[in-house]
Amino acid sequence: MMLRIFLLNPLTALLLALGMFFIICSNVHALELSGNVTAEYRYFFESPVRDNLEKHNLSVAFEPKLYHLFANSRDSISFIPFVRLDQNDPQRTHLDIRELKWQKVGGQWELRIGIDKVFWGVTETVHLVNIINQVDMVENPDEEDLLGQPMINLTLIQNWGNLNLFVLPAFRERTFPGRDGRPGSSVLISNDKAVYESDAKQWHTDFAVRWSKTIGPWDIGISDFYGTSREPRFDSSVFTLDSRGERELIPIYEITNQIGMDIQCTIGGWLLKLEAIHRSGQTDNFFASATGFEYTFENIALSGTDFGVFGEYLYDEREFKTMNRDIAAGVRLSFNDMQSTEVLAALIQDTKYSSRSYYLEASRRLGNSFKLAAEIRGVANVDDRDPLVEFKADQYVQISLGYYF
Amino acid sequence: MKVSKLFFVTLISALSFMAICAAESKLLFAEDKGLTIAREADRRDEGFGDSEEVFTMTLVNEHGSSVKRRMRVRTLERHNDGDWSLSIFDEPADVKGMALLTYSHGIDPDDQWLYMPALKRVKRIASNNKSGAFMGSEFSFEDFSSTNDIRKYTYKYLRNEQFAGMDCFVSEWVPAYEHSGYKRMIVWHDTLEYRVLKIDYYNRGDKFYKTLLLKEYKQFLGKYWRSMRMEMQNHLENRSTILTYDKYRFRLGLTERDFDQNALKRSN
């Protein structure tokens, strides 16, 4: 019931969750509160594709965390709501429960019930294997912000490895920028008319399993997911008209089976990485992989700075994907200074067309409680046949300042 | 005459042989004694089982301004290999919940995994980062790593000397593992309890680089000595880092399960 409310009316669910949380914790003193509030400014260099779009955008996000570890040190509860207010895009102004879970730890098992986030994978520029959570696309096109996923997760810890079993009773639709939102303005996508292959719609029960083990320098994971595809399919003939008579594409969520594998081999300064998936469903049937390396030159010239270089080859059988036969190259600088200054830059070159995309992320702590971050995302030399063309009008620079407590 | 000449030559040879032997044995003695001291210090720390420490790290820069880090470290003693440790960061707030799991392997590279709570991502990290600064401090990763593998260094006893009002053994340690930031270290052990009181570090270019002072020793379980205040001074950059320990707890009953990747993800 909580789940149903959560998916249909996040605000009510949030208040309910907060209430429940405080009732549970009311006679407990050791309730830990932490989190951050972050202000963000984006500037888009290119003229917008529609008159209503702005070049400047201000936004603020609040993400507190409440955590309690019970006296037995085995049970814990945690709650992380998230809210963003956006100046221009009502779709980016949103509320989510990133985490609301009870966790129990046993000798050879762990159990998590509630809403949580799971990350699988090793590569830098794409996250193929990662499939449990839906992408919160309005947050950032890098697909690293995820919506909370309702789940029952049992982990078995044995000599032969860790076995992670998931029952996922409900599905979250991917968030897309609205008519007034950037980036992603070239194509309008409906946020409320999604269609499903399953009659159960977002109530289809999904299952996932992952085995993982560390063997010497090798970290290996093999996974299978069966359920509603987190990535929607689009068909130019499946659309709706908004109140202005403009075409909005309708996301199509099909039942899919994804087999995934992620491997990393760590030797000295080298990280060798592989992620591969095969997905099969009603219309989807493809293979994709990311193969790469990262090498770190540690403490260069005794300056304390670590300098890493990485390269990845991205392959995807699907023609419409932006990164389907691409070579990615990048650098990572960690200054290891008092302010934890870090810079990451990557260039992704399409091997079929001349198109390339790039991003740069930098961050630095100010004092003890603030963090300043900058980000640039853009494309260059885009061929009109490359799906990357959709991003051409939406290159941006972002500056954010977060207060952490 | 002939006899006396032969006698003279024999005498000279015998004397030079003895001199060489003496020099050799003095060197052997120095290496032996250095190793013996390290072994004894090691032996006295055996059997602690597991521990948890909570400390504050104060970083002072060349302008005298300072920032604080707070963290917790859990350690599991291992007998046939290096110790295992889980370091959890509490402050600054932007890294709260970040944690580092280390399986140290003595002379061989350690296995390390870093957990980033914002992404819920566990990342196996390169194992050559021994000399890198730990959290922007004057401590390197290698300064925190387990020293229970006697093969990690080669040892040479130098002299006895008074330090901090105590009689001390002074030895030279040369790292035998790869990627160390140090060419050598000079280590002061007190002769009574074999506690490390001071370490002088010389960088790869053999320049006098850092000094670590270990103060306020407290004894736990009637046996194990732990310094409650460590001061690391960087002489080249005029910066320092001070570690002040709030508490040490021993024999909490920690097991391998408290040091696996699942435990890493549970760091709060």
Side-chain angles (χ1 to χ4, degrees), chain B residues 180-197:
Chain B
S180 175
Y182 312 126
K183 186 176 170 89
R184 60 197 177 98
M185 296 144 64
I186 308 294
V187 182
W188 279 256
H189 282 97
D190 79 271
T191 56
L192 205 62
E193 299 286 355
Y194 286 77
R195 297 166 299 199
V196 177
L197 301 182

PDB file of all heavy atoms in Angstrom, chain B residues 180-197:
ATOM      1  N   SER B 180      57.500   2.412  -2.776  1.00  0.00           N
ATOM      2  CA  SER B 180      57.584   3.195  -1.552  1.00  0.00           C
ATOM      3  C   SER B 180      58.037   4.615  -1.903  1.00  0.00           C
ATOM      4  O   SER B 180      58.783   4.822  -2.848  1.00  0.00           O
ATOM      5  CB  SER B 180      58.587   2.569  -0.585  1.00  0.00           C
ATOM      6  OG  SER B 180      58.732   3.426   0.537  1.00  0.00           O
ATOM      7  N   GLY B 181      57.579   5.585  -1.119  1.00  0.00           N
ATOM      8  CA  GLY B 181      58.025   6.964  -1.316  1.00  0.00           C
ATOM      9  C   GLY B 181      59.334   7.238  -0.577  1.00  0.00           C
ATOM     10  O   GLY B 181      59.858   8.347  -0.625  1.00  0.00           O
ATOM     11  N   TYR B 182      59.797   6.232   0.146  1.00  0.00           N
ATOM     12  CA  TYR B 182      60.980   6.425   0.988  1.00  0.00           C
ATOM     13  C   TYR B 182      62.171   5.614   0.523  1.00  0.00           C
ATOM     14  O   TYR B 182      62.038   4.468   0.119  1.00  0.00           O
ATOM     15  CB  TYR B 182      60.670   6.029   2.442  1.00  0.00           C
ATOM     16  CG  TYR B 182      59.382   6.614   2.971  1.00  0.00           C
ATOM     17  CD1 TYR B 182      58.405   5.800   3.516  1.00  0.00           C
ATOM     18  CD2 TYR B 182      59.147   7.995   2.895  1.00  0.00           C
ATOM     19  CE1 TYR B 182      57.219   6.337   3.991  1.00  0.00           C
ATOM     20  CE2 TYR B 182      57.963   8.530   3.370  1.00  0.00           C
ATOM     21  CZ  TYR B 182      56.998   7.697   3.914  1.00  0.00           C
ATOM     22  OH  TYR B 182      55.826   8.221   4.375  1.00  0.00           O
ATOM     23  N   LYS B 183      63.343   6.241   0.648  1.00  0.00           N
ATOM     24  CA  LYS B 183      64.572   5.490   0.419  1.00  0.00           C
ATOM     25  C   LYS B 183      64.938   4.751   1.708  1.00  0.00           C
ATOM     26  O   LYS B 183      65.350   3.604   1.687  1.00  0.00           O
ATOM     27  CB  LYS B 183      65.697   6.446   0.014  1.00  0.00           C
ATOM     28  CG  LYS B 183      66.974   5.714  -0.385  1.00  0.00           C
ATOM     29  CD  LYS B 183      68.028   6.692  -0.865  1.00  0.00           C
ATOM     30  CE  LYS B 183      69.364   5.986  -1.022  1.00  0.00           C
ATOM     31  NZ  LYS B 183      69.542   5.420  -2.335  1.00  0.00           N
ATOM     32  N   ARG B 184      64.739   5.440   2.843  1.00  0.00           N
ATOM     33  CA  ARG B 184      65.027   4.802   4.130  1.00  0.00           C
ATOM     34  C   ARG B 184      64.314   5.546   5.257  1.00  0.00           C
ATOM     35  O   ARG B 184      63.833   6.674   5.063  1.00  0.00           O
ATOM     36  CB  ARG B 184      66.533   4.785   4.402  1.00  0.00           C
ATOM     37  CG  ARG B 184      67.163   6.164   4.451  1.00  0.00           C
ATOM     38  CD  ARG B 184      68.672   6.106   4.307  1.00  0.00           C
ATOM     39  NE  ARG B 184      69.234   7.452   4.295  1.00  0.00           N
ATOM     40  CZ  ARG B 184      69.771   8.053   5.355  1.00  0.00           C
ATOM     41  NH1 ARG B 184      69.821   7.431   6.514  1.00  0.00           N
ATOM     42  NH2 ARG B 184      70.252   9.265   5.265  1.00  0.00           N
ATOM     43  N   MET B 185      64.247   4.908   6.408  1.00  0.00           N
ATOM     44  CA  MET B 185      63.639   5.492   7.601  1.00  0.00           C
ATOM     45  C   MET B 185      64.583   5.217   8.767  1.00  0.00           C
ATOM     46  O   MET B 185      65.194   4.157   8.829  1.00  0.00           O
ATOM     47  CB  MET B 185      62.300   4.809   7.906  1.00  0.00           C
ATOM     48  CG  MET B 185      61.238   5.013   6.841  1.00  0.00           C
ATOM     49  SD  MET B 185      60.172   3.566   6.605  1.00  0.00           S
ATOM     50  CE  MET B 185      59.366   3.440   8.185  1.00  0.00           C
ATOM     51  N   ILE B 186      64.679   6.188   9.692  1.00  0.00           N
ATOM     52  CA  ILE B 186      65.433   5.954  10.923  1.00  0.00           C
ATOM     53  C   ILE B 186      64.397   5.820  12.042  1.00  0.00           C
ATOM     54  O   ILE B 186      63.551   6.706  12.207  1.00  0.00           O
ATOM     55  CB  ILE B 186      66.400   7.127  11.234  1.00  0.00           C
ATOM     56  CG1 ILE B 186      67.280   7.445  10.012  1.00  0.00           C
ATOM     57  CG2 ILE B 186      67.257   6.798  12.462  1.00  0.00           C
ATOM     58  CD1 ILE B 186      68.260   6.355   9.620  1.00  0.00           C
ATOM     59  N   VAL B 187      64.451   4.691  12.758  1.00  0.00           N
ATOM     60  CA  VAL B 187      63.395   4.363  13.722  1.00  0.00           C
ATOM     61  C   VAL B 187      63.958   4.263  15.145  1.00  0.00           C
ATOM     62  O   VAL B 187      64.972   3.606  15.365  1.00  0.00           O
ATOM     63  CB  VAL B 187      62.727   3.024  13.324  1.00  0.00           C
ATOM     64  CG1 VAL B 187      61.596   2.682  14.289  1.00  0.00           C
ATOM     65  CG2 VAL B 187      62.211   3.074  11.896  1.00  0.00           C
ATOM     66  N   TRP B 188      63.297   4.949  16.067  1.00  0.00           N
ATOM     67  CA  TRP B 188      63.668   4.913  17.489  1.00  0.00           C
ATOM     68  C   TRP B 188      62.702   4.007  18.264  1.00  0.00           C
ATOM     69  O   TRP B 188      61.512   4.288  18.294  1.00  0.00           O
ATOM     70  CB  TRP B 188      63.581   6.324  18.084  1.00  0.00           C
ATOM     71  CG  TRP B 188      64.746   7.220  17.841  1.00  0.00           C
ATOM     72  CD1 TRP B 188      65.716   7.558  18.740  1.00  0.00           C
ATOM     73  CD2 TRP B 188      65.060   7.945  16.634  1.00  0.00           C
ATOM     74  NE1 TRP B 188      66.629   8.427  18.152  1.00  0.00           N
ATOM     75  CE2 TRP B 188      66.253   8.677  16.869  1.00  0.00           C
ATOM     76  CE3 TRP B 188      64.478   8.018  15.346  1.00  0.00           C
ATOM     77  CZ2 TRP B 188      66.851   9.493  15.901  1.00  0.00           C
ATOM     78  CZ3 TRP B 188      65.076   8.819  14.381  1.00  0.00           C
ATOM     79  CH2 TRP B 188      66.247   9.543  14.657  1.00  0.00           C
ATOM     80  N   HIS B 189      63.218   2.909  18.862  1.00  0.00           N
ATOM     81  CA  HIS B 189      62.416   2.048  19.750  1.00  0.00           C
ATOM     82  C   HIS B 189      62.940   2.228  21.167  1.00  0.00           C
ATOM     83  O   HIS B 189      64.154   2.199  21.362  1.00  0.00           O
ATOM     84  CB  HIS B 189      62.630   0.568  19.416  1.00  0.00           C
ATOM     85  CG  HIS B 189      61.897   0.073  18.217  1.00  0.00           C
ATOM     86  ND1 HIS B 189      62.476  -0.029  16.973  1.00  0.00           N
ATOM     87  CD2 HIS B 189      60.618  -0.379  18.079  1.00  0.00           C
ATOM     88  CE1 HIS B 189      61.594  -0.528  16.122  1.00  0.00           C
ATOM     89  NE2 HIS B 189      60.457  -0.745  16.762  1.00  0.00           N
ATOM     90  N   ASP B 190      62.069   2.345  22.166  1.00  0.00           N
ATOM     91  CA  ASP B 190      62.608   2.372  23.527  1.00  0.00           C
ATOM     92  C   ASP B 190      63.009   0.949  23.926  1.00  0.00           C
ATOM     93  O   ASP B 190      62.376  -0.029  23.526  1.00  0.00           O
ATOM     94  CB  ASP B 190      61.610   3.015  24.504  1.00  0.00           C
ATOM     95  CG  ASP B 190      60.502   2.082  24.917  1.00  0.00           C
ATOM     96  OD1 ASP B 190      59.475   2.059  24.203  1.00  0.00           O
ATOM     97  OD2 ASP B 190      60.656   1.380  25.920  1.00  0.00           O
ATOM     98  N   THR B 191      64.093   0.855  24.687  1.00  0.00           N
ATOM     99  CA  THR B 191      64.685  -0.469  24.955  1.00  0.00           C
ATOM    100  C   THR B 191      63.866  -1.277  25.960  1.00  0.00           C
ATOM    101  O   THR B 191      64.042  -2.480  26.074  1.00  0.00           O
ATOM    102  CB  THR B 191      66.121  -0.324  25.508  1.00  0.00           C
ATOM    103  OG1 THR B 191      66.071   0.499  26.686  1.00  0.00           O
ATOM    104  CG2 THR B 191      67.038   0.322  24.492  1.00  0.00           C
ATOM    105  N   LEU B 192      62.955  -0.629  26.667  1.00  0.00           N
ATOM    106  CA  LEU B 192      62.189  -1.301  27.703  1.00  0.00           C
ATOM    107  C   LEU B 192      60.958  -2.013  27.128  1.00  0.00           C
ATOM    108  O   LEU B 192      60.729  -3.186  27.367  1.00  0.00           O
ATOM    109  CB  LEU B 192      61.762  -0.270  28.752  1.00  0.00           C
ATOM    110  CG  LEU B 192      61.497  -0.793  30.156  1.00  0.00           C
ATOM    111  CD1 LEU B 192      62.753  -1.399  30.766  1.00  0.00           C
ATOM    112  CD2 LEU B 192      60.948   0.324  31.041  1.00  0.00           C
ATOM    113  N   GLU B 193      60.165  -1.276  26.352  1.00  0.00           N
ATOM    114  CA  GLU B 193      58.903  -1.814  25.847  1.00  0.00           C
ATOM    115  C   GLU B 193      58.883  -1.993  24.331  1.00  0.00           C
ATOM    116  O   GLU B 193      57.876  -2.410  23.770  1.00  0.00           O
ATOM    117  CB  GLU B 193      57.732  -0.896  26.263  1.00  0.00           C
ATOM    118  CG  GLU B 193      57.549  -0.751  27.774  1.00  0.00           C
ATOM    119  CD  GLU B 193      56.947  -2.002  28.417  1.00  0.00           C
ATOM    120  OE1 GLU B 193      56.580  -2.941  27.697  1.00  0.00           O
ATOM    121  OE2 GLU B 193      56.870  -2.025  29.663  1.00  0.00           O
ATOM    122  N   TYR B 194      59.943  -1.619  23.640  1.00  0.00           N
ATOM    123  CA  TYR B 194      60.026  -1.736  22.174  1.00  0.00           C
ATOM    124  C   TYR B 194      58.920  -0.956  21.460  1.00  0.00           C
ATOM    125  O   TYR B 194      58.386  -1.407  20.460  1.00  0.00           O
ATOM    126  CB  TYR B 194      60.008  -3.212  21.756  1.00  0.00           C
ATOM    127  CG  TYR B 194      61.310  -3.923  22.036  1.00  0.00           C
ATOM    128  CD1 TYR B 194      61.642  -4.317  23.328  1.00  0.00           C
ATOM    129  CD2 TYR B 194      62.218  -4.189  21.000  1.00  0.00           C
ATOM    130  CE1 TYR B 194      62.843  -4.961  23.592  1.00  0.00           C
ATOM    131  CE2 TYR B 194      63.417  -4.836  21.255  1.00  0.00           C
ATOM    132  CZ  TYR B 194      63.729  -5.217  22.558  1.00  0.00           C
ATOM    133  OH  TYR B 194      64.912  -5.843  22.812  1.00  0.00           O
ATOM    134  N   ARG B 195      58.563   0.213  22.009  1.00  0.00           N
ATOM    135  CA  ARG B 195      57.572   1.067  21.356  1.00  0.00           C
ATOM    136  C   ARG B 195      58.292   1.994  20.399  1.00  0.00           C
ATOM    137  O   ARG B 195      59.372   2.498  20.716  1.00  0.00           O
ATOM    138  CB  ARG B 195      56.811   1.906  22.392  1.00  0.00           C
ATOM    139  CG  ARG B 195      56.009   1.086  23.370  1.00  0.00           C
ATOM    140  CD  ARG B 195      55.560   1.908  24.543  1.00  0.00           C
ATOM    141  NE  ARG B 195      56.675   2.453  25.307  1.00  0.00           N
ATOM    142  CZ  ARG B 195      56.592   2.898  26.552  1.00  0.00           C
ATOM    143  NH1 ARG B 195      55.437   2.889  27.171  1.00  0.00           N
ATOM    144  NH2 ARG B 195      57.635   3.377  27.170  1.00  0.00           N
ATOM    145  N   VAL B 196      57.693   2.251  19.236  1.00  0.00           N
ATOM    146  CA  VAL B 196      58.293   3.208  18.300  1.00  0.00           C
ATOM    147  C   VAL B 196      58.004   4.614  18.830  1.00  0.00           C
ATOM    148  O   VAL B 196      56.848   4.973  19.044  1.00  0.00           O
ATOM    149  CB  VAL B 196      57.717   3.051  16.880  1.00  0.00           C
ATOM    150  CG1 VAL B 196      58.302   4.111  15.954  1.00  0.00           C
ATOM    151  CG2 VAL B 196      58.013   1.669  16.330  1.00  0.00           C
ATOM    152  N   LEU B 197      59.040   5.405  19.051  1.00  0.00           N
ATOM    153  CA  LEU B 197      58.845   6.754  19.591  1.00  0.00           C
ATOM    154  C   LEU B 197      59.017   7.830  18.527  1.00  0.00           C
ATOM    155  O   LEU B 197      58.464   8.921  18.637  1.00  0.00           O
ATOM    156  CB  LEU B 197      59.840   7.021  20.729  1.00  0.00           C
ATOM    157  CG  LEU B 197      59.777   6.085  21.932  1.00  0.00           C
ATOM    158  CD1 LEU B 197      60.782   6.516  22.986  1.00  0.00           C
ATOM    159  CD2 LEU B 197      58.374   6.042  22.528  1.00  0.00           C
TER     160      LEU B 197
END
